[in-house]
Amino acid sequence: MLFEQLLLQPLRKIELIDPWPGDITVAASSSLLAGAIALHFDQIAVVCTSPLRFMQSQSGTFIAVPGVDCMASLGYRLTLTTREDADLMLPSALSRKVIAPESWILSADPIIGAAAPVLLLTAMEQQSHATWAVKMRFLGESYTLAWRPELDGSVEFAPSGHRHAIDRIAVNSPAEAFGWLHPAYQHPFVLDENCWRSAHASDWPWPLRKALQSHHQPGKFYRDTMRRALIARFRQTPRLRQRLLALRYPVQVKDVPDGLIEEIAQAVQRETD
């Protein structure tokens, strides 16, 4: 069995790489979301990485499940490695957050107090979106490692039965969740033989900024230019293009005209079909 070597090992550390922005990880036993999650046991680390964030292929790990005819897809990539090698698997420049398992997993003994939770059992659990999740049973509660492509290709580690939910995407700055949709997100691209630092109007070439000020229809000129800039950025950046095509919620982005992100996603989708 894939996880047999982890049984009865204490979970020493939970590491979030490229974590979901904000305070989603503050409360004990809440949902943890990140581009990659590493669970550090005594000797082995379970590293789960998002294909949308770190790979150009959207294929995840396939696992044989007893009683199931075909291989089960996790959606994300799962790797078992030594704790020493876990840090070498992901870019060091990405933001990281470390969670103490004994303060997050609700398994503290009322007599001896908080202690590193011990893994008792693992199982596979089918999800509603045609993928499977890894269910881990610790003393007191079960937790699930699941693939959430609609949440910006995140991997989620959460109490079984709990799923972080949103009903729309609202982006006010590049530092927020889905911040790569914001025009000011700095990822260089080329348009009209010019290198643009971002799609924000302050980074437009001077002739375009000047034309915007004097145009008889500035709103239409702004929308058309923003559309061209964002399409160029997504065309030239495969990983951002994959994340764009995975969007499943209404989108509202500051400094982007309403409906433009959805229009761009449809245009990019047609190019890939």
Side-chain angles (χ1 to χ4, degrees), residues 64-98:
V65 178
V68 177
D69 294 335
C70 57
M71 298 289 283
S73 172
L74 293 176
Y76 54 85
R77 299 293 298 177
L78 186 145
T79 305
L80 268 61
T81 184
T82 64
R83 291 187 63 179
E84 293 76 15
D85 290 341
D87 286 339
L88 304 177
M89 297 182 59
L90 297 163
S92 59
L94 293 174
S95 62
R96 300 190 178 212
K97 185 167 186 177
V98 175

PDB file of all heavy atoms in Angstrom, residues 64-98:
ATOM      1  N   ALA A  64      -4.082   3.009  -7.838  1.00  0.00           N
ATOM      2  CA  ALA A  64      -4.974   1.850  -7.896  1.00  0.00           C
ATOM      3  C   ALA A  64      -5.797   1.792  -6.611  1.00  0.00           C
ATOM      4  O   ALA A  64      -5.252   1.877  -5.504  1.00  0.00           O
ATOM      5  CB  ALA A  64      -4.169   0.569  -8.071  1.00  0.00           C
ATOM      6  N   VAL A  65      -7.106   1.645  -6.763  1.00  0.00           N
ATOM      7  CA  VAL A  65      -8.020   1.569  -5.624  1.00  0.00           C
ATOM      8  C   VAL A  65      -8.722   0.211  -5.653  1.00  0.00           C
ATOM      9  O   VAL A  65      -9.309  -0.154  -6.676  1.00  0.00           O
ATOM     10  CB  VAL A  65      -9.065   2.701  -5.667  1.00  0.00           C
ATOM     11  CG1 VAL A  65     -10.046   2.575  -4.508  1.00  0.00           C
ATOM     12  CG2 VAL A  65      -8.382   4.054  -5.639  1.00  0.00           C
ATOM     13  N   PRO A  66      -8.666  -0.551  -4.560  1.00  0.00           N
ATOM     14  CA  PRO A  66      -9.338  -1.858  -4.529  1.00  0.00           C
ATOM     15  C   PRO A  66     -10.824  -1.732  -4.858  1.00  0.00           C
ATOM     16  O   PRO A  66     -11.517  -0.846  -4.349  1.00  0.00           O
ATOM     17  CB  PRO A  66      -9.126  -2.329  -3.088  1.00  0.00           C
ATOM     18  CG  PRO A  66      -7.892  -1.605  -2.638  1.00  0.00           C
ATOM     19  CD  PRO A  66      -7.930  -0.272  -3.306  1.00  0.00           C
ATOM     20  N   GLY A  67     -11.306  -2.597  -5.747  1.00  0.00           N
ATOM     21  CA  GLY A  67     -12.712  -2.597  -6.112  1.00  0.00           C
ATOM     22  C   GLY A  67     -13.079  -1.642  -7.227  1.00  0.00           C
ATOM     23  O   GLY A  67     -14.245  -1.574  -7.626  1.00  0.00           O
ATOM     24  N   VAL A  68     -12.101  -0.883  -7.703  1.00  0.00           N
ATOM     25  CA  VAL A  68     -12.349   0.059  -8.795  1.00  0.00           C
ATOM     26  C   VAL A  68     -11.621  -0.443 -10.036  1.00  0.00           C
ATOM     27  O   VAL A  68     -10.426  -0.750  -9.979  1.00  0.00           O
ATOM     28  CB  VAL A  68     -11.860   1.479  -8.412  1.00  0.00           C
ATOM     29  CG1 VAL A  68     -12.058   2.444  -9.569  1.00  0.00           C
ATOM     30  CG2 VAL A  68     -12.608   1.968  -7.178  1.00  0.00           C
ATOM     31  N   ASP A  69     -12.325  -0.505 -11.151  1.00  0.00           N
ATOM     32  CA  ASP A  69     -11.754  -1.081 -12.369  1.00  0.00           C
ATOM     33  C   ASP A  69     -10.615  -0.249 -12.949  1.00  0.00           C
ATOM     34  O   ASP A  69      -9.591  -0.779 -13.370  1.00  0.00           O
ATOM     35  CB  ASP A  69     -12.847  -1.260 -13.437  1.00  0.00           C
ATOM     36  CG  ASP A  69     -13.884  -2.294 -13.023  1.00  0.00           C
ATOM     37  OD1 ASP A  69     -13.537  -3.169 -12.210  1.00  0.00           O
ATOM     38  OD2 ASP A  69     -15.028  -2.210 -13.497  1.00  0.00           O
ATOM     39  N   CYS A  70     -10.775   1.075 -12.970  1.00  0.00           N
ATOM     40  CA  CYS A  70      -9.753   1.935 -13.568  1.00  0.00           C
ATOM     41  C   CYS A  70      -8.925   2.613 -12.474  1.00  0.00           C
ATOM     42  O   CYS A  70      -9.292   2.606 -11.297  1.00  0.00           O
ATOM     43  CB  CYS A  70     -10.393   2.986 -14.472  1.00  0.00           C
ATOM     44  SG  CYS A  70     -11.604   4.023 -13.641  1.00  0.00           S
ATOM     45  N   MET A  71      -7.805   3.175 -12.885  1.00  0.00           N
ATOM     46  CA  MET A  71      -6.957   3.896 -11.943  1.00  0.00           C
ATOM     47  C   MET A  71      -7.655   5.176 -11.474  1.00  0.00           C
ATOM     48  O   MET A  71      -8.335   5.856 -12.243  1.00  0.00           O
ATOM     49  CB  MET A  71      -5.626   4.240 -12.607  1.00  0.00           C
ATOM     50  CG  MET A  71      -4.806   3.035 -13.034  1.00  0.00           C
ATOM     51  SD  MET A  71      -4.119   2.141 -11.629  1.00  0.00           S
ATOM     52  CE  MET A  71      -2.760   3.233 -11.181  1.00  0.00           C
ATOM     53  N   ALA A  72      -7.479   5.512 -10.217  1.00  0.00           N
ATOM     54  CA  ALA A  72      -8.121   6.694  -9.632  1.00  0.00           C
ATOM     55  C   ALA A  72      -7.194   7.896  -9.735  1.00  0.00           C
ATOM     56  O   ALA A  72      -6.021   7.824  -9.356  1.00  0.00           O
ATOM     57  CB  ALA A  72      -8.473   6.428  -8.171  1.00  0.00           C
ATOM     58  N   SER A  73      -7.717   9.000 -10.242  1.00  0.00           N
ATOM     59  CA  SER A  73      -6.933  10.233 -10.380  1.00  0.00           C
ATOM     60  C   SER A  73      -7.111  11.119  -9.153  1.00  0.00           C
ATOM     61  O   SER A  73      -8.236  11.382  -8.720  1.00  0.00           O
ATOM     62  CB  SER A  73      -7.367  11.003 -11.630  1.00  0.00           C
ATOM     63  OG  SER A  73      -6.747  12.280 -11.662  1.00  0.00           O
ATOM     64  N   LEU A  74      -6.000  11.586  -8.604  1.00  0.00           N
ATOM     65  CA  LEU A  74      -6.051  12.518  -7.482  1.00  0.00           C
ATOM     66  C   LEU A  74      -6.236  13.957  -7.943  1.00  0.00           C
ATOM     67  O   LEU A  74      -6.599  14.829  -7.159  1.00  0.00           O
ATOM     68  CB  LEU A  74      -4.772  12.419  -6.642  1.00  0.00           C
ATOM     69  CG  LEU A  74      -4.544  11.110  -5.886  1.00  0.00           C
ATOM     70  CD1 LEU A  74      -3.190  11.138  -5.192  1.00  0.00           C
ATOM     71  CD2 LEU A  74      -5.656  10.873  -4.871  1.00  0.00           C
ATOM     72  N   GLY A  75      -5.917  14.233  -9.202  1.00  0.00           N
ATOM     73  CA  GLY A  75      -5.972  15.607  -9.705  1.00  0.00           C
ATOM     74  C   GLY A  75      -4.660  16.337  -9.494  1.00  0.00           C
ATOM     75  O   GLY A  75      -4.121  16.947 -10.405  1.00  0.00           O
ATOM     76  N   TYR A  76      -4.117  16.254  -8.290  1.00  0.00           N
ATOM     77  CA  TYR A  76      -2.812  16.851  -7.991  1.00  0.00           C
ATOM     78  C   TYR A  76      -1.724  15.778  -8.080  1.00  0.00           C
ATOM     79  O   TYR A  76      -1.999  14.580  -8.164  1.00  0.00           O
ATOM     80  CB  TYR A  76      -2.809  17.497  -6.604  1.00  0.00           C
ATOM     81  CG  TYR A  76      -3.240  16.578  -5.477  1.00  0.00           C
ATOM     82  CD1 TYR A  76      -2.343  15.719  -4.857  1.00  0.00           C
ATOM     83  CD2 TYR A  76      -4.559  16.559  -5.029  1.00  0.00           C
ATOM     84  CE1 TYR A  76      -2.735  14.872  -3.824  1.00  0.00           C
ATOM     85  CE2 TYR A  76      -4.969  15.725  -3.996  1.00  0.00           C
ATOM     86  CZ  TYR A  76      -4.054  14.885  -3.408  1.00  0.00           C
ATOM     87  OH  TYR A  76      -4.447  14.044  -2.395  1.00  0.00           O
ATOM     88  N   ARG A  77      -0.469  16.204  -8.056  1.00  0.00           N
ATOM     89  CA  ARG A  77       0.653  15.278  -8.051  1.00  0.00           C
ATOM     90  C   ARG A  77       1.025  14.946  -6.618  1.00  0.00           C
ATOM     91  O   ARG A  77       1.172  15.848  -5.785  1.00  0.00           O
ATOM     92  CB  ARG A  77       1.870  15.893  -8.751  1.00  0.00           C
ATOM     93  CG  ARG A  77       1.649  16.234 -10.212  1.00  0.00           C
ATOM     94  CD  ARG A  77       1.453  15.021 -11.079  1.00  0.00           C
ATOM     95  NE  ARG A  77       2.607  14.145 -11.097  1.00  0.00           N
ATOM     96  CZ  ARG A  77       2.649  12.983 -11.737  1.00  0.00           C
ATOM     97  NH1 ARG A  77       1.604  12.548 -12.398  1.00  0.00           N
ATOM     98  NH2 ARG A  77       3.745  12.248 -11.713  1.00  0.00           N
ATOM     99  N   LEU A  78       1.153  13.678  -6.291  1.00  0.00           N
ATOM    100  CA  LEU A  78       1.522  13.245  -4.942  1.00  0.00           C
ATOM    101  C   LEU A  78       2.838  12.485  -4.999  1.00  0.00           C
ATOM    102  O   LEU A  78       2.998  11.560  -5.791  1.00  0.00           O
ATOM    103  CB  LEU A  78       0.420  12.369  -4.350  1.00  0.00           C
ATOM    104  CG  LEU A  78       0.608  11.951  -2.887  1.00  0.00           C
ATOM    105  CD1 LEU A  78      -0.734  11.883  -2.178  1.00  0.00           C
ATOM    106  CD2 LEU A  78       1.314  10.590  -2.781  1.00  0.00           C
ATOM    107  N   THR A  79       3.768  12.899  -4.142  1.00  0.00           N
ATOM    108  CA  THR A  79       5.097  12.285  -4.097  1.00  0.00           C
ATOM    109  C   THR A  79       5.466  11.997  -2.648  1.00  0.00           C
ATOM    110  O   THR A  79       5.294  12.854  -1.777  1.00  0.00           O
ATOM    111  CB  THR A  79       6.166  13.209  -4.709  1.00  0.00           C
ATOM    112  OG1 THR A  79       5.769  13.572  -6.034  1.00  0.00           O
ATOM    113  CG2 THR A  79       7.515  12.515  -4.754  1.00  0.00           C
ATOM    114  N   LEU A  80       5.950  10.793  -2.387  1.00  0.00           N
ATOM    115  CA  LEU A  80       6.517  10.452  -1.089  1.00  0.00           C
ATOM    116  C   LEU A  80       8.025  10.542  -1.194  1.00  0.00           C
ATOM    117  O   LEU A  80       8.631   9.943  -2.083  1.00  0.00           O
ATOM    118  CB  LEU A  80       6.104   9.040  -0.676  1.00  0.00           C
ATOM    119  CG  LEU A  80       4.820   8.914   0.181  1.00  0.00           C
ATOM    120  CD1 LEU A  80       3.621   9.460  -0.576  1.00  0.00           C
ATOM    121  CD2 LEU A  80       4.590   7.470   0.578  1.00  0.00           C
ATOM    122  N   THR A  81       8.625  11.292  -0.302  1.00  0.00           N
ATOM    123  CA  THR A  81      10.070  11.487  -0.348  1.00  0.00           C
ATOM    124  C   THR A  81      10.588  11.651   1.077  1.00  0.00           C
ATOM    125  O   THR A  81       9.814  11.732   2.031  1.00  0.00           O
ATOM    126  CB  THR A  81      10.420  12.732  -1.194  1.00  0.00           C
ATOM    127  OG1 THR A  81      11.836  12.858  -1.295  1.00  0.00           O
ATOM    128  CG2 THR A  81       9.850  13.997  -0.567  1.00  0.00           C
ATOM    129  N   THR A  82      11.906  11.693   1.237  1.00  0.00           N
ATOM    130  CA  THR A  82      12.464  11.951   2.557  1.00  0.00           C
ATOM    131  C   THR A  82      12.229  13.402   2.933  1.00  0.00           C
ATOM    132  O   THR A  82      12.075  14.269   2.058  1.00  0.00           O
ATOM    133  CB  THR A  82      13.977  11.657   2.576  1.00  0.00           C
ATOM    134  OG1 THR A  82      14.645  12.558   1.687  1.00  0.00           O
ATOM    135  CG2 THR A  82      14.254  10.218   2.153  1.00  0.00           C
ATOM    136  N   ARG A  83      12.198  13.670   4.205  1.00  0.00           N
ATOM    137  CA  ARG A  83      11.978  15.048   4.652  1.00  0.00           C
ATOM    138  C   ARG A  83      13.081  15.971   4.149  1.00  0.00           C
ATOM    139  O   ARG A  83      12.833  17.127   3.827  1.00  0.00           O
ATOM    140  CB  ARG A  83      11.906  15.098   6.183  1.00  0.00           C
ATOM    141  CG  ARG A  83      10.669  14.428   6.767  1.00  0.00           C
ATOM    142  CD  ARG A  83      10.570  14.656   8.259  1.00  0.00           C
ATOM    143  NE  ARG A  83      10.410  16.077   8.579  1.00  0.00           N
ATOM    144  CZ  ARG A  83      10.274  16.533   9.825  1.00  0.00           C
ATOM    145  NH1 ARG A  83      10.299  15.687  10.854  1.00  0.00           N
ATOM    146  NH2 ARG A  83      10.122  17.816  10.046  1.00  0.00           N
ATOM    147  N   GLU A  84      14.291  15.447   4.058  1.00  0.00           N
ATOM    148  CA  GLU A  84      15.410  16.267   3.598  1.00  0.00           C
ATOM    149  C   GLU A  84      15.244  16.676   2.133  1.00  0.00           C
ATOM    150  O   GLU A  84      15.652  17.771   1.733  1.00  0.00           O
ATOM    151  CB  GLU A  84      16.732  15.510   3.770  1.00  0.00           C
ATOM    152  CG  GLU A  84      17.141  15.250   5.221  1.00  0.00           C
ATOM    153  CD  GLU A  84      16.336  14.120   5.865  1.00  0.00           C
ATOM    154  OE1 GLU A  84      15.669  13.358   5.113  1.00  0.00           O
ATOM    155  OE2 GLU A  84      16.353  14.013   7.107  1.00  0.00           O
ATOM    156  N   ASP A  85      14.655  15.796   1.327  1.00  0.00           N
ATOM    157  CA  ASP A  85      14.512  16.080  -0.100  1.00  0.00           C
ATOM    158  C   ASP A  85      13.258  16.878  -0.438  1.00  0.00           C
ATOM    159  O   ASP A  85      13.123  17.379  -1.561  1.00  0.00           O
ATOM    160  CB  ASP A  85      14.492  14.774  -0.901  1.00  0.00           C
ATOM    161  CG  ASP A  85      15.850  14.084  -0.911  1.00  0.00           C
ATOM    162  OD1 ASP A  85      16.857  14.764  -0.618  1.00  0.00           O
ATOM    163  OD2 ASP A  85      15.895  12.861  -1.192  1.00  0.00           O
ATOM    164  N   ALA A  86      12.354  16.998   0.499  1.00  0.00           N
ATOM    165  CA  ALA A  86      11.087  17.683   0.211  1.00  0.00           C
ATOM    166  C   ALA A  86      11.314  19.130  -0.199  1.00  0.00           C
ATOM    167  O   ALA A  86      10.653  19.641  -1.113  1.00  0.00           O
ATOM    168  CB  ALA A  86      10.169  17.610   1.427  1.00  0.00           C
ATOM    169  N   ASP A  87      12.250  19.806   0.449  1.00  0.00           N
ATOM    170  CA  ASP A  87      12.499  21.216   0.137  1.00  0.00           C
ATOM    171  C   ASP A  87      13.091  21.408  -1.249  1.00  0.00           C
ATOM    172  O   ASP A  87      13.016  22.510  -1.812  1.00  0.00           O
ATOM    173  CB  ASP A  87      13.440  21.833   1.175  1.00  0.00           C
ATOM    174  CG  ASP A  87      12.751  22.071   2.511  1.00  0.00           C
ATOM    175  OD1 ASP A  87      11.502  22.149   2.511  1.00  0.00           O
ATOM    176  OD2 ASP A  87      13.441  22.175   3.531  1.00  0.00           O
ATOM    177  N   LEU A  88      13.688  20.367  -1.805  1.00  0.00           N
ATOM    178  CA  LEU A  88      14.328  20.489  -3.112  1.00  0.00           C
ATOM    179  C   LEU A  88      13.337  20.347  -4.257  1.00  0.00           C
ATOM    180  O   LEU A  88      13.692  20.596  -5.416  1.00  0.00           O
ATOM    181  CB  LEU A  88      15.419  19.415  -3.256  1.00  0.00           C
ATOM    182  CG  LEU A  88      16.509  19.405  -2.176  1.00  0.00           C
ATOM    183  CD1 LEU A  88      17.469  18.242  -2.420  1.00  0.00           C
ATOM    184  CD2 LEU A  88      17.258  20.728  -2.158  1.00  0.00           C
ATOM    185  N   MET A  89      12.098  19.975  -3.959  1.00  0.00           N
ATOM    186  CA  MET A  89      11.126  19.685  -5.006  1.00  0.00           C
ATOM    187  C   MET A  89      10.399  20.917  -5.521  1.00  0.00           C
ATOM    188  O   MET A  89       9.781  20.881  -6.583  1.00  0.00           O
ATOM    189  CB  MET A  89      10.103  18.668  -4.504  1.00  0.00           C
ATOM    190  CG  MET A  89      10.686  17.316  -4.145  1.00  0.00           C
ATOM    191  SD  MET A  89       9.406  16.163  -3.629  1.00  0.00           S
ATOM    192  CE  MET A  89       8.349  16.133  -5.080  1.00  0.00           C
ATOM    193  N   LEU A  90      10.449  22.029  -4.772  1.00  0.00           N
ATOM    194  CA  LEU A  90       9.658  23.198  -5.130  1.00  0.00           C
ATOM    195  C   LEU A  90      10.524  24.452  -5.149  1.00  0.00           C
ATOM    196  O   LEU A  90      11.537  24.533  -4.451  1.00  0.00           O
ATOM    197  CB  LEU A  90       8.514  23.378  -4.125  1.00  0.00           C
ATOM    198  CG  LEU A  90       7.510  22.224  -4.101  1.00  0.00           C
ATOM    199  CD1 LEU A  90       6.682  22.278  -2.834  1.00  0.00           C
ATOM    200  CD2 LEU A  90       6.610  22.295  -5.330  1.00  0.00           C
ATOM    201  N   PRO A  91      10.139  25.450  -5.954  1.00  0.00           N
ATOM    202  CA  PRO A  91      10.925  26.690  -6.044  1.00  0.00           C
ATOM    203  C   PRO A  91      11.071  27.365  -4.686  1.00  0.00           C
ATOM    204  O   PRO A  91      10.093  27.532  -3.955  1.00  0.00           O
ATOM    205  CB  PRO A  91      10.105  27.552  -7.014  1.00  0.00           C
ATOM    206  CG  PRO A  91       9.291  26.578  -7.806  1.00  0.00           C
ATOM    207  CD  PRO A  91       8.982  25.445  -6.872  1.00  0.00           C
ATOM    208  N   SER A  92      12.289  27.755  -4.357  1.00  0.00           N
ATOM    209  CA  SER A  92      12.552  28.364  -3.046  1.00  0.00           C
ATOM    210  C   SER A  92      12.019  29.788  -2.946  1.00  0.00           C
ATOM    211  O   SER A  92      11.828  30.310  -1.847  1.00  0.00           O
ATOM    212  CB  SER A  92      14.059  28.356  -2.767  1.00  0.00           C
ATOM    213  OG  SER A  92      14.751  29.065  -3.781  1.00  0.00           O
ATOM    214  N   ALA A  93      11.748  30.440  -4.079  1.00  0.00           N
ATOM    215  CA  ALA A  93      11.321  31.840  -4.051  1.00  0.00           C
ATOM    216  C   ALA A  93       9.853  32.005  -3.664  1.00  0.00           C
ATOM    217  O   ALA A  93       9.427  33.116  -3.342  1.00  0.00           O
ATOM    218  CB  ALA A  93      11.568  32.472  -5.418  1.00  0.00           C
ATOM    219  N   LEU A  94       9.082  30.937  -3.686  1.00  0.00           N
ATOM    220  CA  LEU A  94       7.661  31.046  -3.371  1.00  0.00           C
ATOM    221  C   LEU A  94       7.437  31.256  -1.876  1.00  0.00           C
ATOM    222  O   LEU A  94       8.221  30.796  -1.045  1.00  0.00           O
ATOM    223  CB  LEU A  94       6.929  29.781  -3.820  1.00  0.00           C
ATOM    224  CG  LEU A  94       6.853  29.538  -5.328  1.00  0.00           C
ATOM    225  CD1 LEU A  94       6.223  28.182  -5.604  1.00  0.00           C
ATOM    226  CD2 LEU A  94       6.076  30.631  -6.022  1.00  0.00           C
ATOM    227  N   SER A  95       6.358  31.962  -1.548  1.00  0.00           N
ATOM    228  CA  SER A  95       6.021  32.170  -0.145  1.00  0.00           C
ATOM    229  C   SER A  95       5.630  30.855   0.508  1.00  0.00           C
ATOM    230  O   SER A  95       5.042  29.973  -0.138  1.00  0.00           O
ATOM    231  CB  SER A  95       4.875  33.174  -0.022  1.00  0.00           C
ATOM    232  OG  SER A  95       3.715  32.681  -0.661  1.00  0.00           O
ATOM    233  N   ARG A  96       5.973  30.721   1.781  1.00  0.00           N
ATOM    234  CA  ARG A  96       5.684  29.495   2.519  1.00  0.00           C
ATOM    235  C   ARG A  96       5.094  29.830   3.886  1.00  0.00           C
ATOM    236  O   ARG A  96       5.387  30.868   4.456  1.00  0.00           O
ATOM    237  CB  ARG A  96       6.951  28.652   2.699  1.00  0.00           C
ATOM    238  CG  ARG A  96       7.590  28.240   1.373  1.00  0.00           C
ATOM    239  CD  ARG A  96       8.686  27.221   1.564  1.00  0.00           C
ATOM    240  NE  ARG A  96       9.255  26.809   0.274  1.00  0.00           N
ATOM    241  CZ  ARG A  96       9.735  25.608   0.015  1.00  0.00           C
ATOM    242  NH1 ARG A  96       9.731  24.685   0.945  1.00  0.00           N
ATOM    243  NH2 ARG A  96      10.227  25.317  -1.173  1.00  0.00           N
ATOM    244  N   LYS A  97       4.301  28.924   4.379  1.00  0.00           N
ATOM    245  CA  LYS A  97       3.724  29.078   5.708  1.00  0.00           C
ATOM    246  C   LYS A  97       3.758  27.727   6.393  1.00  0.00           C
ATOM    247  O   LYS A  97       3.381  26.708   5.804  1.00  0.00           O
ATOM    248  CB  LYS A  97       2.286  29.592   5.617  1.00  0.00           C
ATOM    249  CG  LYS A  97       1.659  29.884   6.978  1.00  0.00           C
ATOM    250  CD  LYS A  97       0.374  30.668   6.824  1.00  0.00           C
ATOM    251  CE  LYS A  97      -0.170  31.089   8.181  1.00  0.00           C
ATOM    252  NZ  LYS A  97      -1.384  31.927   8.069  1.00  0.00           N
ATOM    253  N   VAL A  98       4.224  27.706   7.630  1.00  0.00           N
ATOM    254  CA  VAL A  98       4.337  26.464   8.395  1.00  0.00           C
ATOM    255  C   VAL A  98       3.245  26.425   9.458  1.00  0.00           C
ATOM    256  O   VAL A  98       3.058  27.394  10.205  1.00  0.00           O
ATOM    257  CB  VAL A  98       5.729  26.331   9.040  1.00  0.00           C
ATOM    258  CG1 VAL A  98       5.783  25.096   9.940  1.00  0.00           C
ATOM    259  CG2 VAL A  98       6.805  26.243   7.959  1.00  0.00           C
TER     260      VAL A  98
END
